[in-house]
Amino acid sequence: MKLYNFFRSGTSHRTRIVLNLKGLDYDYVAVSLAKEEHLQPAFKALNPQGLVPVLQTDDTLLFQSPAIIEWLEEQYPDPALLPKDPFERAHVRALAAMVGCDIHPINNRRILQYLRNELHQDEEAVLTWCKQWINDGFTALEQILSEDKNRQGFCFGDTPTIADAYLIPQIESAKRFEVDLTPYPLIREVEANCMQLPAFIDAAPFKQPDAPAKV
């Protein structure tokens, strides 16, 4: 398999986590968003939306990280990243969707570039925008985690699920956007537990081959 992705893309990050949790090998193909390689004809031939990630398998091209992650769960069911019980599966999917549908999309690069370039917002206004929607989502997520009395260190249960794969990249973005995570002790607990695991460590943005060297 080949994964076309960008080191700091949250959707790429969550897909790398799932691939790692499944123990799957893949070729890393860097697509620079900073250089707008995702908008070039060569990449748009893979995904007409011009969005990362794209997963190339022997048979087909997969795009949209939720679809890729669900495909990986179905194709490689062990270890399972969704519970067996249908209601519990729905719960985990809902946690993932809180990030994937309601927080991440309105804070991703193309939205922020529109705020900067088309609506002429300065960086302070862009940061205010990002903090608003991350805090809004994290406040709700923190409450849901607190109400789950069977939860043991992760978003659900005592092992990682797709919800954790979605949450960890969003925490990374929150730090980049200078969000104060102090009000979210359970979210920080999930992060601490996930970041003990090689699958999460190795998927981190600045561990990737296209990441710039940290100063």
Side-chain angles (χ1 to χ4, degrees):
M1 292 187 287
K2 291 182 180 180
L3 183 68
Y4 295 83
N5 73 135
F6 181 59
F7 78 101
R8 203 162 60 184
S9 152
T11 53
S12 299
H13 188 177
R14 70 176 69 136
T15 305
R16 293 194 300 265
I17 291 171
V18 171
L19 284 162
N20 291 349
L21 286 169
K22 296 290 185 182
L24 297 171
D25 293 327
Y26 61 92
D27 294 331
Y28 188 107
V29 183
V31 180
S32 175
L33 303 191
K35 296 178 182 177
E36 298 195 337
E37 292 176 354
H38 59 301
L39 301 179
Q40 302 307 308
F43 183 74
K44 282 202 166 185
L46 302 176
N47 180 5
Q49 272 194 299
L51 299 175
V52 293
V54 171
L55 184 68
Q56 183 176 8
T57 73
D58 290 337
D59 301 319
T60 191
L61 292 166
L62 301 171
F63 55 93
Q64 285 290 342
S65 61
I68 295 171
I69 289 169
E70 290 281 351
W71 180 84
L72 290 169
E73 178 71 2
E74 293 171 1
Q75 192 74 7
Y76 303 97
D78 186 33
L81 302 182
L82 285 169
K84 291 182 178 180
D85 178 82
F87 289 106
E88 292 178 347
R89 291 168 76 87
H91 178 74
V92 170
R93 283 187 170 115
L95 296 178
M98 290 177 70
V99 174
C101 298
D102 297 325
I103 303 175
H104 172 266
I106 52 177
N107 287 309
N108 71 13
R109 184 177 184 274
R110 62 179 181 163
I111 300 300
L112 303 188
Q113 290 294 84
Y114 190 87
L115 290 174
R116 294 178 180 115
N117 299 331
E118 303 299 326
L119 301 184
H120 309 295
Q121 299 299 305
D122 61 22
E123 287 306 306
E124 182 178 353
V126 171
L127 271 181
T128 299
W129 170 275
C130 293
K131 289 176 181 180
Q132 169 66 36
W133 303 118
I134 293 173
N135 279 315
D136 188 64
F138 276 12
T139 298
L141 181 58
E142 182 78 11
Q143 180 177 337
I144 291 170
L145 295 180
S146 72
E147 292 171 353
D148 183 355
K149 303 308 178 185
N150 296 318
R151 196 183 62 81
Q152 298 179 52
F154 294 90
C155 285
F156 178 86
D158 60 359
T159 57
T161 64
I162 65 168
D164 303 282
Y166 276 73
L167 178 58
I168 295 305
Q170 190 59 61
I171 295 173
E172 180 76 22
S173 293
K175 292 177 180 177
R176 181 154 50 94
F177 296 134
E178 302 174 9
V179 174
D180 180 11
L181 296 176
T182 305
Y184 314 117
L186 299 181
I187 289 175
R188 289 187 284 114
E189 176 194 42
V190 170
E191 180 194 25
N193 289 328
C194 286
M195 295 311 296
Q196 297 297 313
L197 303 177
F200 288 87
I201 296 169
D202 294 341
F206 284 93
K207 298 275 283 188
Q208 306 317 305
D210 56 329
K214 276 193 170 181
V215 178

